[in-house]
Amino acid sequence: MVDPSDLSPEQLTVASLGQAQHKSPLRKSLYPGDGLGDFVADDMRMLYEPRFRQGEPLSQLSFERAGAREKLFFDPGKTKVAIVTCGGLCPGINNVIRSLVLELTFNYGVQNVWGFRYGFQGLNPEQSRLPMALTPKVVEDIHHRGGTILGTSRGHQSPEVMAHCLADQGFDILFCIGGDGTQHGAHSIASEIARRELPISVVGIPKTIDNDIRFCFRTFGYYTAVAEAETVVDRAHVEAKSILNGVGLVKLMGREAGFIAAAAALASGEANFVLVPEVDFPLEGENGFLAKLQHRLATREHAVVVVAEGAGQDWMPSRTKEHDASGNRRLADVGPFLKQKIQESCAAASLPVKVKYFDPSYHIRSVPATAADSLLCERLARNAVHAAMAGKTDMLIGLWHNHFIHVPLAISTGAKKQLSPEGELWQAVLALTGQ
Amino acid sequence: MVDPSDLSPEQLTVASLGQAQHKSPLRKSLYPGDGLGDFVADDMRMLYEPRFRQGEPLSQLSFERAGAREKLFFDPGKTKVAIVTCGGLCPGINNVIRSLVLELTFNYGVQNVWGFRYGFQGLNPEQSRLPMALTPKVVEDIHHRGGTILGTSRGHQSPEVMAHCLADQGFDILFCIGGDGTQHGAHSIASEIARRELPISVVGIPKTIDNDIRFCFRTFGYYTAVAEAETVVDRAHVEAKSILNGVGLVKLMGREAGFIAAAAALASGEANFVLVPEVDFPLEGENGFLAKLQHRLATREHAVVVVAEGAGQDWMPSRTKEHDASGNRRLADVGPFLKQKIQESCAAASLPVKVKYFDPSYHIRSVPATAADSLLCERLARNAVHAAMAGKTDMLIGLWHNHFIHVPLAISTGAKKQLSPEGELWQAVLALTGQ
Amino acid sequence: MVDPSDLSPEQLTVASLGQAQHKSPLRKSLYPGDGLGDFVADDMRMLYEPRFRQGEPLSQLSFERAGAREKLFFDPGKTKVAIVTCGGLCPGINNVIRSLVLELTFNYGVQNVWGFRYGFQGLNPEQSRLPMALTPKVVEDIHHRGGTILGTSRGHQSPEVMAHCLADQGFDILFCIGGDGTQHGAHSIASEIARRELPISVVGIPKTIDNDIRFCFRTFGYYTAVAEAETVVDRAHVEAKSILNGVGLVKLMGREAGFIAAAAALASGEANFVLVPEVDFPLEGENGFLAKLQHRLATREHAVVVVAEGAGQDWMPSRTKEHDASGNRRLADVGPFLKQKIQESCAAASLPVKVKYFDPSYHIRSVPATAADSLLCERLARNAVHAAMAGKTDMLIGLWHNHFIHVPLAISTGAKKQLSPEGELWQAVLALTGQ
Amino acid sequence: MVDPSDLSPEQLTVASLGQAQHKSPLRKSLYPGDGLGDFVADDMRMLYEPRFRQGEPLSQLSFERAGAREKLFFDPGKTKVAIVTCGGLCPGINNVIRSLVLELTFNYGVQNVWGFRYGFQGLNPEQSRLPMALTPKVVEDIHHRGGTILGTSRGHQSPEVMAHCLADQGFDILFCIGGDGTQHGAHSIASEIARRELPISVVGIPKTIDNDIRFCFRTFGYYTAVAEAETVVDRAHVEAKSILNGVGLVKLMGREAGFIAAAAALASGEANFVLVPEVDFPLEGENGFLAKLQHRLATREHAVVVVAEGAGQDWMPSRTKEHDASGNRRLADVGPFLKQKIQESCAAASLPVKVKYFDPSYHIRSVPATAADSLLCERLARNAVHAAMAGKTDMLIGLWHNHFIHVPLAISTGAKKQLSPEGELWQAVLALTGQ
């Protein structure tokens, strides 16, 4: 959790391309109660922190609220829009693409929507495939499929090259669907565009299966991932219970944040140990994980262990300094390491153990979105369109207290949201596992 | 949405059985940052409305926050707890029961937990089966199953009889899992208990598949229901498209509130018309539903219609004044009515139509909870235990801005939460269907 | 089951368009053991009945085996092929279409494949939409979707008109995917083609979710339907058990044959009564269904009843003589009838019963095929291509003792396969329910 | 496929404990057509091979048919029955246990059914947990859960010890649910029992997720495994297509037999290469797998590869001679080997490839059975009860031409069923992939 005292109102101010002068074609009004949906004015805010202590003052720190604006910066009939998807797969990307296209086309009347291919590579003319035209017909059925119809890639491209590509091809808006690295890239593009004083809007749509983007209470794909991960934990439980001293060991996604591991464990209700990056757990020693696991086996004869991929990095000597093409630190593989440690320590204790290891990562992220995520994608996309058409830029759509907000890219990127060890989710894990 | 001006701080004040004097056995602290989860103090509040207009003052209206208290009213080792489940099935009831039992037993050390059978009937000694003992072993696997292991029923029982039953059998706490009618009944029991000045806590856990309980942003089972309902809408779409002028007509749950219909339509992305109780739609006439449907068929040759069971009641002459055992108004059946109207109007227009009618209600509500709902059940149940053990009473656990709160039963019952026609969900439906 | 004594070898002889002279392009051989797949010769047979009594002679009655032929009647490069889908939806139709197209195109080198739209209507130039070209690209993803991309319809069209349509447009082969009525229509077309002495092959691919086509041990879509139906029975069980004297009443598909009802009941393991068209069950009286149900409620307090739509027609006064567009007899609706009878008889016996009624038909038939059915579709389609390219006609592909066979349309249509009351499936139902 | 010339009628003769003298309590008759199910007489046979060439004689080689016998060897009221489950998990084990118990209890009236715990270990008093009583109440819901409620283990136990255990505890019947190794063990127990001239029946129920037991056309769990495996292949396809030169590499179960790999590839329709143990494929060289894969990437930019775990063992230098506790040869891990080879060979060819590797084994085998498998389990179990009660022994229940048969353990074990390279399933794979 970010401490509100770290943020200033200035940092929460969203950049704009300029005066919005075109009348919105949406059938909404400024007046609640007339049966029409309401336009949102720029001075409508969402409080950062609604929790308070009786008698103590509330901090006024707040976000700009998302929603349709009465005036648009871009003239829809003349607007050319691009969409790009970057980084790893996440359930719901195609839903977002579809809703962007449908909102732009049917509701705003934009006729010119394109998809860059294979991530930021697509904005580099040297490397790229041609962009594909995105029409309602093209996106008609895509939301029932996992993956991204645009393709994706990892890795850095020059902001100058990408900004030039957009300007050169006459694009007015770029929607960047991606995680922290992607939004960082989007910020670079927006900065380069600002430097060149071009009227091009760059709007981010946060995509992180790990649920680790700041100011996004929940990101799309996360619930779908938890649902898939839950089935893995449930199956690990079946395997563990089917033999004497069976251990079901499940490695789940979560490089910096244990949200998926914690939530899957809770949803399943079958995990006995949950290891996440945010909470240190000694491996060896009397109160260490291995001793506790042996105790569990001695008394209950089976156990289920859920470990986030970023957990236990300190346990492993081979912790590397390398980074992948997206700039993510390469992690040592905690799954096989832990499997071996469990086997060795149990062997030393003459406890005959059988470890069944589950590593489902790609299996989880390639599925279509479940309904709860489809709903989120749909609303996220439409709010992104509203923001971009109004000339907002260098920002992403966040979710705060169940309402959508505008978050400047400068503050949403660079650091990641993490599980709070004292927060409710982790405390619920402790309540369940008693670990 | 309730207008905050309708509520006074007094109405939001939660009743308590008296001074909490027992030390909580939970391993938590009062101090953020020490790595331990934090107890919540009674003066920690959640703002009712965090949205505001720049320069305008915030209303201080607020709820009491849920969470573990440092001091308990009940001595866990001597506490006797009852659970009852009432009304229609809803995915997640067994999850709630399981988490109540696990939290009470493992974390608070309560040894005496019982489940009344078949709803409020179970608290009427004349009608009842014996209560069943609820131990961790009994509830071990129940969360993977739909339904309720306790059984349920509809209908009123005398508050005097039920209060007497609780007192007579020495119960300290009653958890009531149910919808608006159930919580109204819980309030009656709590009032009778208060009249008798008994130290018995009554805590409600809101259960409504329709998502229509006030001060509960989302209720458990709702997302599961939407996921199931989405598949029905998707299949209706397959049927509709497979023939010339096919109409897939889907009736979904939603007596007073169209949340499931709206969300399933959005998640599916395949609905062309959505009819909900909150928004009037003329049936006949140039701008009526039937004319618009014919226009759709003439141009696209198929259509999908989603109708909430409470929609279109004004269209039907047979609207009855009867109520069911739970006190719910009996609705005329809009599904077959609409099917016939579509067939007749198309026949009159010489448009050969085929209507495929789907009525999946029981199919939807009997499934196990999906992961997103399992998580909610788990947290809801633990917070209910915290509240009851601290001596809170005549209240239910609400969800507000993603945090749990305490809501007096007096204000949460009697009126239902509805879809706002100007709100984001309904506006998204309009954006999708263009209806 | 057909009695072999009803059939003569002549009736089992498959019609052929004439001498096959073109060499098959498939990479197969005539010799087992060389690692290549084997062509099937026309004199390779499948015994009708492999069960026998020691010491008694085997009947030599047998079917022609399906499979790739060494010589083709049609020259692939010049062959024009049509596909049509008729009747109700069934899981797997798109799989069959896809495999037909892939086998024709990639393996035989046929360049010219078309899909008639909306059933036999598509072969009537007066009523039809234009046929759609079917290429590997078009069918690439269709097998993951329910329904039929060609559309379907019910009802008769003139064989003369259809035969003329095929000849007029230069088609060499017609694949008819459909049930008993469709295959009857296909036989009419083939007869008309024979009368005109045209070299056009008509090959049927049996499609019946009810699994009721003769000489097809199992038809595609059946296992998928049973899987879906099983979940309905399971959910009915959850509903029934959640209340006192709850009855889950499930109506399943099966007009003439109770295969789906019987198999879903068995797979679920939760049904207490199964009613099918093939086995009479008295409704009233001491040994009647209603009395037995009351007895079950009195002792077990809940029950699950599965009824095939064609069961109990004798119970209902309103049994009609009408037929639908496919020539199927209109059935009286046994579901609501039974619900009312149960309620009335229990009321008369002062047994407070709650009936939860499930009618999932469209829900079941619109899903994509499960793996077991996908496999069947794939193999069925390829064998249909082999037969047609070899000049076989007026036949369908059957499945007998797990091998594919050629069945003349004249004997496969007109009567339907039914559940044998003394056979293993029904006996297993009796063993389970003890009804 | 076994060549019938390898088998003699004597080898197909099923052992019996002696004269069956007790009247069966089942309500069946000897006469077809009376509406009652039929008892099966011992001279009712199932032909080994029903395919023949016109004019050539049929081989009379045949199996004894399974089914209820009119006379029983055991007196149901005095019979004590044991069940044991061995080896790896397989969907449907709990279904088999449940149906055994229900048939024994409700239909035969056996009151004494026990489950040995954790495989053959349970029959070794030195190692064992106590057996658990199996009543209808205990098995009521178990078929909806994966795994085995009895637990399982791998490995050999002394036949003498196990036979003694059975005799000592007064068991009359032992049902062994397991694969080739288990049935081999069952045969050893039966041989030891025969040597001691004890009247104890040992009946095997084949359990192999790989579908590789001889004379069992299809084993339970196989279709469920294929359905799960299909989803993995589908997801691998999503991953492969989402990036440039993406390869989805899926390792599936199949130590000696490629049935799961072949069927999952076919059901998915998305595999481009399928590698199985039965068919050699060169790795290197112009026509090798790596060259063909590179060609595919160069032209289509993505590929899906399915490899059975027993495939490509010759490619790997580290092929070991070790065996696991069940006596299965330890395989070198072809998945990571192939991943590395693909990466190296593409790097050498300057083709930037990304391999997404899927290894879902435990994920697949721990699920509940799908409907098609539930049906098979149910019927298999009931036929096993019929056989054992009639005094058959040293045999397993096979499935041949869709009817159940009795197969002596001596001929069903020791060698495994494999995919025929010239058979229809593999030929269909070649037709699909064109590999």
Side-chain angles (χ1 to χ4, degrees), chain C residues 372-385:
Chain C
D373 275 328
S374 298
L375 281 170
L376 181 55
C377 292
E378 150 82 27
R379 296 156 69 205
L380 204 47
R382 295 192 192 273
N383 278 295
V385 172

Side-chain angles (χ1 to χ4, degrees), chain B residues 2 7 11-13 63 187 214-215 407-415:
Chain B
V2 177
L7 291 169
Q11 286 176 298
L12 294 176
T13 302
F63 295 104
H187 181 48
R214 300 208 302 177
F215 311 117
V407 185
L409 289 175
I411 64 159
S412 69
T413 62

Side-chain angles (χ1 to χ4, degrees), chain C residues 27-29 31-38 41-47 49-54 56 58-62 65 95 98 102-103 106-107 137 140-141 143-144 217-218 222-223 226-228 230 234 237 241 262-264 266-270 300 302 369-372 374-375 378-380 382-383 400-404 421-425 427-432 434, chain D residues 27-29 31-38 41-47 49-54 56 58-62 65 95 98 102-103 106-107 137 140-141 143-144 217-218 222-223 226-228 230 234 237 241 262-264 266-270 300 302 369-372 374-375 378-380 382-383 400-404 421-425 427-432 434:
Chain C
R27 201 164 156 271
K28 294 180 186 288
S29 81
Y31 314 105
D34 60 0
L36 296 175
D38 299 334
D42 280 356
D43 64 355
M44 290 179 171
R45 311 287 300 177
M46 168 59 70
L47 204 65
E49 176 57 272
R51 291 174 297 179
F52 66 105
R53 195 132 193 178
Q54 198 82 45
E56 296 185 1
L58 277 158
S59 158
Q60 298 283 328
L61 199 73
S62 64
R65 286 179 53 210
N95 299 57
R98 180 178 189 257
L102 296 184
E103 181 69 19
F106 287 138
N107 295 333
K137 183 73 191 163
E140 189 174 8
D141 285 328
H143 57 313
H144 296 311
F217 173 73
R218 170 163 80 92
Y222 170 62
Y223 271 172
V226 171
E228 288 289 315
E230 186 207 328
D234 288 341
H237 183 237
K241 281 198 75 167
L266 270 186
S268 160
E270 309 291 13
R300 301 293 306 274
H302 75 277
T370 56
S374 298
L375 281 170
E378 150 82 27
R379 296 156 69 205
L380 204 47
R382 295 192 192 273
N383 278 295
W400 208 241
H401 315 322
N402 297 315
H403 291 271
F404 292 96
E422 302 186 15
E424 204 201 335
L425 184 61
Q427 291 299 313
V429 168
L430 297 182
L432 174 76
Chain D
R27 203 165 155 270
K28 293 180 188 287
S29 81
Y31 314 105
D34 60 0
L36 296 174
D38 300 334
D42 279 357
D43 65 354
M44 291 180 172
R45 312 287 301 176
M46 168 59 70
L47 204 65
E49 175 58 271
R51 292 173 298 179
F52 66 106
R53 197 135 192 176
Q54 197 83 46
E56 295 184 1
L58 276 158
S59 159
Q60 299 283 327
L61 200 73
S62 64
R65 285 178 54 208
N95 299 57
R98 180 178 190 258
L102 297 184
E103 181 69 20
F106 288 137
N107 295 333
K137 182 74 190 163
E140 189 174 9
D141 285 328
H143 59 311
H144 296 311
F217 173 73
R218 170 162 80 90
Y222 171 62
Y223 271 173
V226 171
E228 287 290 315
E230 187 206 327
D234 288 342
H237 182 237
K241 282 197 75 166
L266 270 186
S268 159
E270 309 291 13
R300 299 294 303 275
H302 74 279
T370 56
S374 298
L375 281 170
E378 151 81 27
R379 296 156 69 205
L380 204 46
R382 295 193 192 271
N383 278 296
W400 209 242
H401 314 323
N402 297 316
H403 291 271
F404 292 97
E422 303 187 14
E424 204 202 333
L425 184 61
Q427 291 299 312
V429 169
L430 297 183
L432 174 77

